[in-house]
Each structure stands twice: as C-alpha cells, then as structure tokens.
Amino acid sequence: METSLHRQLKSLYCADESQQEVTLAGYRIDGIVDDMLIEIQCASLGAIRDKIRTLTKKHDVIVVKPLAARKQLVKYNRKRGKIISRRASPKRETFHDLFLELVHFVNVFPHPRLTLEVLLTEQQEHRLPPLKSRRTRKKYRVQDRSLERVVSKLVLRTNNDLLTMLPPDLPAEFTTADIALGSEIPRWLAQKMAYCLRKTGAVSTIGKQGNAMVYQRQQTKRKAA
C-alpha cells in the first residue's frame, strides 16, 4: 500500500496528477515531467535495479531516495484510534546511510541518463499494536509514514559526485579507518562506502596497510551508456 510519504513526494516532484502512475515500457512510473521519468523509492534501491536499468536505455530518469534525518514516532491504540504515545526516534539518518543501499545499485549508478536525488527529511511514523495472529518480536506495526519537511538534498549524477561525500581533510592515500574517523561514521559503514566508490570507479586500490586496503581518488567521467 502506498504510504503518505511516497504520495507526498510524488506530488512534490510531479504536480500534474494526470502524469502520475503512468505505464511505460511495461512499468508503472511514479511521474513524468518534461519527458523526465520520476521514481520515488522509499524502499530498497536494489528492488528497482532492473527497472531503472531498463528505463535508462531510452529515457532520462530521476530516482528520489528519502532518508529520515528526524522521525517522530506516533503510536495508536488501534487503527483509527487514539494516540497513546508520541516520541522522537533515536535513529537519525545522514547522507552516508545511502551507501547501505547503494551497494546493491552500483551496477546501475552512475549512468548518463540517471540522476539520484537523496533527501534528508523529517518524517512521522504512525504505529499500531502488532496483530495477535502473527508471531513477531516487534511490539508494533507501521501503519503509515508521512513527510513533515525536506531538510536537505544531495544530487548525484557521476562517480565524481560521490567523492564529495568523503571527508574534506582526507589524505591523498587513505583507508576505511580514515573515512570513518573523518566522517564520524562506524568503520563498517565506511567499508560499504569504499566498496561503492571502488565499484563506480571513483577510487582505486593502490596497496595495503596491514590488513586494510589503501585507496586513492580517481577523477573519472561518468560511465557511458
């Protein structure tokens, strides 16, 4: 079922409702604006990998990926019931969290006909008690997510654009430990970041420092179609 978040972003990028949910090349397209295809992807980027690969053969595509910089958790006693609690989620996503999903999308991005727009957003997540008929460890189920506002936007078109996400004071030769320290992110996330940068040709490996790979930047153009 479509969430409010998806519907709100779809309207934000494509105000003309007649150009929303259009079928093209066997796929349902969220929106079309001046021949540009708009795909709002609140779920995993990997889930639309084949779709985007097919569409970019003949069309320009913008993939919009929202991340939750802040999230308000609103819990109801039942569907269409009363609010029983409201609190801020301790989890706050940053642009670096994109790499959790980009690892499954590097065989699609970069592409000359593809633009990836990453949005840091403030959201509300509406929760209900779990269904008694289902066995789950979670004490809730998500009924809906809605957009409060867009805080910031990052536009990515080339592998060089990915390089802007590296720490500004990173040395010419660096490891994932350097990325983690300079970006203030966990080492495991820095490793995913380095993997994406290497697979897209933004960096290359030049050796090892102990057990750690050593990388350097590559000033390369976007991949050809």
Side-chain angles (χ1 to χ4, degrees):
M1 184 177 71
E2 184 181 38
T3 65
S4 297
L5 173 64
H6 186 277
R7 185 168 56 253
Q8 289 168 294
L9 289 175
K10 184 169 60 178
S11 296
L12 181 65
Y13 275 81
C14 180
D16 185 355
E17 293 186 2
S18 69
Q19 292 300 302
Q20 296 178 7
E21 300 298 328
V22 178
T23 299
L24 180 68
Y27 291 102
R28 180 73 70 175
I29 310 302
D30 285 327
I32 302 179
V33 179
D34 297 331
D35 296 325
M36 177 74 74
L37 309 188
I38 310 295
E39 182 69 19
I40 311 297
Q41 188 61 9
C42 300
S44 168
L45 289 176
I48 60 169
R49 182 173 49 210
D50 294 340
K51 176 181 181 179
I52 300 304
R53 185 188 294 113
T54 299
L55 292 175
T56 51
K57 290 179 180 178
K58 296 183 178 180
H59 304 278
D60 294 329
V61 182
I62 295 177
V63 173
V64 181
K65 176 63 187 177
L67 299 173
R70 292 181 179 85
K71 187 186 292 183
Q72 188 79 8
L73 307 178
V74 184
K75 188 174 181 180
Y76 297 80
N77 61 346
R78 64 179 185 277
K79 190 174 183 179
R80 291 186 291 274
K82 295 180 179 179
I83 295 176
I84 58 176
S85 70
R86 187 190 297 268
R87 64 182 178 86
S89 171
K91 183 178 179 181
R92 295 190 173 190
E93 293 182 314
T94 70
F95 285 128
H96 290 99
D97 287 287
L98 171 69
F99 292 100
L100 294 173
E101 298 188 25
L102 197 60
V103 292
H104 306 294
F105 204 63
V106 289
N107 60 349
V108 180
F109 179 88
H111 188 281
R113 307 197 79 160
L114 176 61
T115 299
L116 183 58
E117 295 197 4
V118 190
L119 307 181
L120 286 185
T121 64
E122 292 183 357
Q123 303 177 16
Q124 277 197 6
E125 183 172 282
H126 305 273
R127 295 179 170 184
L128 296 173
L131 295 173
K132 294 182 180 180
S133 59
R134 295 184 181 178
R135 294 182 179 180
T136 177
R137 294 182 179 180
K138 288 187 176 181
K139 297 181 180 180
Y140 66 91
R141 55 193 169 100
V142 177
Q143 179 189 34
D144 195 15
R145 292 186 177 92
S146 59
L147 177 68
E148 293 294 296
R149 71 185 184 102
V150 175
V151 179
S152 185
K153 178 172 71 172
L154 177 66
V155 179
L156 302 171
R157 295 188 178 91
T158 70
N159 47 13
N160 283 339
D161 291 334
L162 292 175
L163 289 174
T164 65
M165 300 180 70
L166 289 171
D169 57 349
L170 201 64
E173 299 178 1
F174 55 91
T175 68
T176 55
D178 297 318
I179 297 175
L181 181 63
S183 301
E184 298 183 342
I185 59 176
R187 180 75 177 270
W188 59 265
L189 183 53
Q191 290 170 340
K192 291 183 182 295
M193 186 175 178
Y195 171 84
C196 293
L197 293 172
R198 180 175 60 82
K199 293 295 287 185
T200 58
V203 303
S204 62
T205 56
I206 58 172
K208 297 187 72 174
Q209 188 179 95
N211 292 325
M213 299 300 300
V214 179
Y215 302 89
Q216 68 177 9
R217 297 173 180 83
Q218 294 288 335
Q219 297 296 327
T220 55
K221 299 180 180 180
R222 70 172 72 186
K223 291 180 179 179

Short mmCIF file of all heavy atoms in Angstrom, two decimals, residues 53-77:
data_model
loop_
_atom_site.label_atom_id
_atom_site.label_comp_id
_atom_site.label_asym_id
_atom_site.label_seq_id
_atom_site.Cartn_x
_atom_site.Cartn_y
_atom_site.Cartn_z
N ARG A 53 17.53 0.07 -14.83
CA ARG A 53 18.46 -0.31 -15.90
C ARG A 53 17.73 -0.35 -17.25
O ARG A 53 18.27 0.10 -18.27
CB ARG A 53 19.08 -1.67 -15.60
CG ARG A 53 20.15 -2.08 -16.62
CD ARG A 53 20.63 -3.50 -16.42
NE ARG A 53 21.32 -3.67 -15.17
CZ ARG A 53 20.87 -4.41 -14.15
NH1 ARG A 53 19.70 -5.03 -14.26
NH2 ARG A 53 21.58 -4.55 -13.06
N THR A 54 16.51 -0.86 -17.25
CA THR A 54 15.72 -0.92 -18.49
C THR A 54 15.28 0.47 -18.94
O THR A 54 15.41 0.82 -20.12
CB THR A 54 14.48 -1.80 -18.29
OG1 THR A 54 14.89 -3.13 -17.95
CG2 THR A 54 13.63 -1.85 -19.55
N LEU A 55 14.79 1.28 -18.02
CA LEU A 55 14.26 2.60 -18.38
C LEU A 55 15.34 3.54 -18.90
O LEU A 55 15.09 4.35 -19.80
CB LEU A 55 13.56 3.23 -17.17
CG LEU A 55 12.26 2.55 -16.73
CD1 LEU A 55 11.74 3.20 -15.44
CD2 LEU A 55 11.20 2.62 -17.82
N THR A 56 16.54 3.47 -18.35
CA THR A 56 17.61 4.39 -18.77
C THR A 56 18.17 4.06 -20.15
O THR A 56 18.99 4.83 -20.68
CB THR A 56 18.76 4.40 -17.74
OG1 THR A 56 19.17 3.06 -17.45
CG2 THR A 56 18.32 5.09 -16.46
N LYS A 57 17.74 2.98 -20.74
CA LYS A 57 18.17 2.69 -22.11
C LYS A 57 17.59 3.71 -23.09
O LYS A 57 18.22 4.03 -24.11
CB LYS A 57 17.73 1.28 -22.51
CG LYS A 57 18.49 0.16 -21.79
CD LYS A 57 17.98 -1.20 -22.23
CE LYS A 57 18.72 -2.32 -21.51
NZ LYS A 57 18.20 -3.66 -21.90
N LYS A 58 16.40 4.25 -22.78
CA LYS A 58 15.74 5.16 -23.71
C LYS A 58 15.25 6.45 -23.06
O LYS A 58 14.78 7.35 -23.76
CB LYS A 58 14.56 4.46 -24.39
CG LYS A 58 14.94 3.28 -25.26
CD LYS A 58 13.71 2.70 -25.94
CE LYS A 58 14.08 1.54 -26.85
NZ LYS A 58 12.89 0.96 -27.54
N HIS A 59 15.33 6.55 -21.72
CA HIS A 59 14.73 7.68 -21.03
C HIS A 59 15.67 8.25 -19.98
O HIS A 59 16.50 7.54 -19.41
CB HIS A 59 13.42 7.26 -20.35
CG HIS A 59 12.42 6.64 -21.28
ND1 HIS A 59 11.59 7.38 -22.09
CD2 HIS A 59 12.14 5.33 -21.53
CE1 HIS A 59 10.82 6.55 -22.80
NE2 HIS A 59 11.13 5.31 -22.48
N ASP A 60 15.50 9.55 -19.71
CA ASP A 60 16.17 10.18 -18.58
C ASP A 60 15.33 9.91 -17.33
O ASP A 60 14.10 10.05 -17.35
CB ASP A 60 16.30 11.68 -18.79
CG ASP A 60 17.23 12.02 -19.95
OD1 ASP A 60 18.18 11.24 -20.18
OD2 ASP A 60 16.99 13.04 -20.62
N VAL A 61 15.99 9.55 -16.24
CA VAL A 61 15.30 9.12 -15.02
C VAL A 61 15.88 9.83 -13.80
O VAL A 61 17.10 9.96 -13.68
CB VAL A 61 15.40 7.59 -14.82
CG1 VAL A 61 14.64 7.16 -13.57
CG2 VAL A 61 14.88 6.84 -16.04
N ILE A 62 14.99 10.29 -12.92
CA ILE A 62 15.39 10.76 -11.60
C ILE A 62 14.87 9.77 -10.56
O ILE A 62 13.66 9.51 -10.51
CB ILE A 62 14.83 12.16 -11.29
CG1 ILE A 62 15.43 13.21 -12.23
CG2 ILE A 62 15.13 12.55 -9.84
CD1 ILE A 62 14.85 14.60 -12.03
N VAL A 63 15.75 9.23 -9.77
CA VAL A 63 15.36 8.38 -8.64
C VAL A 63 15.47 9.21 -7.37
O VAL A 63 16.55 9.76 -7.07
CB VAL A 63 16.24 7.13 -8.54
CG1 VAL A 63 15.91 6.34 -7.26
CG2 VAL A 63 16.03 6.23 -9.76
N VAL A 64 14.38 9.32 -6.64
CA VAL A 64 14.33 10.10 -5.41
C VAL A 64 14.37 9.14 -4.23
O VAL A 64 13.49 8.29 -4.08
CB VAL A 64 13.06 10.97 -5.35
CG1 VAL A 64 13.04 11.79 -4.06
CG2 VAL A 64 12.97 11.86 -6.58
N LYS A 65 15.38 9.28 -3.38
CA LYS A 65 15.54 8.41 -2.23
C LYS A 65 15.48 9.23 -0.94
O LYS A 65 16.40 9.99 -0.63
CB LYS A 65 16.90 7.67 -2.31
CG LYS A 65 17.19 6.81 -1.09
CD LYS A 65 16.17 5.69 -0.94
CE LYS A 65 16.36 4.93 0.36
NZ LYS A 65 15.32 3.90 0.54
N PRO A 66 14.38 9.12 -0.16
CA PRO A 66 14.29 9.84 1.10
C PRO A 66 14.95 9.09 2.26
O PRO A 66 14.83 7.87 2.37
CB PRO A 66 12.78 9.96 1.33
CG PRO A 66 12.22 8.72 0.68
CD PRO A 66 13.13 8.42 -0.49
N LEU A 67 15.67 9.83 3.09
CA LEU A 67 16.23 9.31 4.33
C LEU A 67 15.63 10.11 5.49
O LEU A 67 15.31 11.29 5.33
CB LEU A 67 17.76 9.43 4.33
CG LEU A 67 18.50 8.67 3.23
CD1 LEU A 67 19.98 9.03 3.26
CD2 LEU A 67 18.32 7.16 3.39
N ALA A 68 15.51 9.47 6.63
CA ALA A 68 14.87 10.13 7.78
C ALA A 68 15.91 10.72 8.71
O ALA A 68 16.49 10.03 9.55
CB ALA A 68 13.99 9.13 8.54
N ALA A 69 16.17 12.02 8.54
CA ALA A 69 17.10 12.71 9.44
C ALA A 69 16.50 12.82 10.84
O ALA A 69 17.21 12.75 11.84
CB ALA A 69 17.43 14.10 8.91
N ARG A 70 15.19 13.00 10.89
CA ARG A 70 14.45 13.00 12.15
C ARG A 70 13.12 12.30 11.93
O ARG A 70 12.49 12.48 10.88
CB ARG A 70 14.22 14.43 12.66
CG ARG A 70 15.47 15.15 13.10
CD ARG A 70 15.17 16.56 13.62
NE ARG A 70 16.37 17.24 14.07
CZ ARG A 70 17.19 17.92 13.28
NH1 ARG A 70 16.94 17.99 11.99
NH2 ARG A 70 18.27 18.51 13.76
N LYS A 71 12.71 11.53 12.93
CA LYS A 71 11.45 10.80 12.80
C LYS A 71 10.68 10.86 14.12
O LYS A 71 11.22 10.56 15.18
CB LYS A 71 11.71 9.34 12.42
CG LYS A 71 10.45 8.54 12.11
CD LYS A 71 10.77 7.08 11.88
CE LYS A 71 11.56 6.88 10.60
NZ LYS A 71 11.81 5.43 10.33
N GLN A 72 9.43 11.28 14.03
CA GLN A 72 8.53 11.30 15.17
C GLN A 72 7.71 10.02 15.15
O GLN A 72 7.04 9.72 14.16
CB GLN A 72 7.61 12.53 15.11
CG GLN A 72 6.76 12.76 16.35
CD GLN A 72 7.55 13.40 17.49
OE1 GLN A 72 8.68 13.81 17.29
NE2 GLN A 72 6.96 13.48 18.65
N LEU A 73 7.76 9.27 16.25
CA LEU A 73 7.04 8.00 16.35
C LEU A 73 5.72 8.24 17.07
O LEU A 73 5.69 8.64 18.23
CB LEU A 73 7.87 6.97 17.09
CG LEU A 73 9.30 6.75 16.56
CD1 LEU A 73 10.03 5.73 17.42
CD2 LEU A 73 9.27 6.31 15.10
N VAL A 74 4.62 7.98 16.36
CA VAL A 74 3.28 8.20 16.91
C VAL A 74 2.58 6.86 17.01
O VAL A 74 2.36 6.18 16.00
CB VAL A 74 2.46 9.16 16.03
CG1 VAL A 74 1.11 9.45 16.67
CG2 VAL A 74 3.23 10.46 15.77
N LYS A 75 2.22 6.46 18.22
CA LYS A 75 1.62 5.15 18.45
C LYS A 75 0.13 5.31 18.78
O LYS A 75 -0.25 6.13 19.60
CB LYS A 75 2.34 4.43 19.59
CG LYS A 75 1.90 2.97 19.76
CD LYS A 75 2.76 2.29 20.81
CE LYS A 75 2.36 0.83 20.98
NZ LYS A 75 3.20 0.15 22.00
N TYR A 76 -0.70 4.46 18.14
CA TYR A 76 -2.14 4.47 18.35
C TYR A 76 -2.56 3.18 19.07
O TYR A 76 -1.89 2.14 18.93
CB TYR A 76 -2.88 4.57 17.01
CG TYR A 76 -2.61 5.84 16.24
CD1 TYR A 76 -1.44 5.99 15.49
CD2 TYR A 76 -3.51 6.89 16.26
CE1 TYR A 76 -1.19 7.15 14.77
CE2 TYR A 76 -3.27 8.06 15.55
CZ TYR A 76 -2.11 8.18 14.81
OH TYR A 76 -1.85 9.33 14.11
N ASN A 77 -3.66 3.24 19.78
CA ASN A 77 -4.14 2.04 20.47
C ASN A 77 -4.78 1.04 19.51
O ASN A 77 -4.81 -0.16 19.76
CB ASN A 77 -5.11 2.39 21.60
CG ASN A 77 -6.36 3.11 21.09
OD1 ASN A 77 -6.41 3.58 19.96
ND2 ASN A 77 -7.38 3.20 21.94
#
